[in-house]
Amino acid sequence: FGIKFITWVHMMRILGASKIYLSVGELHPDVQKIFDHFVKIGYIETSVFKEPSEKISVQALEYIMLNDCFYKAKNLYDFIMVCDTDEVTLPMIETERTWYDIFAHFKNETERIDSFPVHQRYFPNLVLKLNPEIPEYHYMFQHIWVEI
């Protein structure tokens, strides 16, 4: 989890995220060190999440954590992206390199836009061809093919 999480955080930075809000439970001490580093530099804000005493569904728990992060960020930013740590929303047009490039098309629109649909892609664990210029431990950056 650690290396993939670090790669995901760097990918979010490359794509233009100013801050990441995460709900976290109990973490392995080594993973906690990774979180602590990103919290210390102000790039990640975490909320400690403890499971409620009453039994509720996994989906309900995910909505609780998602809403916690959303409500912390909603008045601070022009755009908010919701995703899991195993998801990346990539620009699909060659001239668009970051999320800001995508949103720039809509910033001057007079009609209010509340959401943007995106296509999800799966990064399989099997990497068919390694790029020798990219270290093997950069999991997401090694993928030149994605499942559609």
Side-chain angles (χ1 to χ4, degrees):
F1 175 80
I3 294 296
K4 288 182 181 181
F5 177 74
I6 292 169
T7 302
W8 180 81
V9 169
H10 287 296
M11 187 66 137
M12 296 299 105
R13 281 187 122 166
I14 288 167
L15 290 168
S18 338
K19 188 162 203 158
I20 296 172
Y21 292 83
L22 292 169
S23 290
V24 296
E26 289 185 40
L27 300 171
H28 184 278
D30 291 339
V31 175
Q32 185 66 53
K33 288 178 189 176
I34 295 168
F35 275 76
D36 291 345
H37 166 74
F38 287 115
V39 169
K40 182 179 177 183
I41 64 173
Y43 189 61
I44 289 179
E45 183 175 317
T46 60
S47 298
V48 176
F49 179 77
K50 295 181 181 177
E51 286 194 43
S53 56
E54 58 191 62
K55 183 128 175 109
I56 60 174
S57 72
V58 171
Q59 187 176 23
L61 288 173
E62 288 177 355
Y63 283 132
I64 292 169
M65 293 185 291
L66 172 73
N67 281 328
D68 177 58
C69 295
F70 176 77
Y71 283 108
K72 285 180 179 178
K74 75 177 191 136
N75 294 321
L76 301 174
Y77 302 96
D78 291 331
F79 300 102
I80 297 173
M81 178 160 302
V82 177
C83 60
D84 290 333
T85 58
D86 63 348
E87 298 174 349
V88 177
T89 300
L90 298 171
M92 297 297 289
I93 300 172
E94 193 171 315
T95 57
E96 296 172 348
R97 299 285 185 195
T98 68
W99 297 323
Y100 293 111
D101 297 338
I102 296 169
F103 297 146
H105 296 291
F106 304 102
K107 196 155 184 132
N108 295 324
E109 295 286 330
T110 55
E111 184 179 329
R112 180 184 163 118
I113 298 172
D114 293 323
S115 64
F116 298 92
V118 296
H119 295 284
Q120 291 191 2
R121 299 292 184 254
Y122 175 68
F123 289 91
N125 284 328
L126 173 65
V127 177
L128 301 174
K129 182 179 178 186
L130 293 177
N131 181 334
E133 297 176 16
I134 300 173
E136 286 184 43
Y137 54 82
H138 283 301
Y139 174 75
M140 288 183 193
F141 300 130
Q142 278 293 343
H143 283 78
I144 56 174
W145 302 101
V146 293
E147 304 229 354
I148 298 176

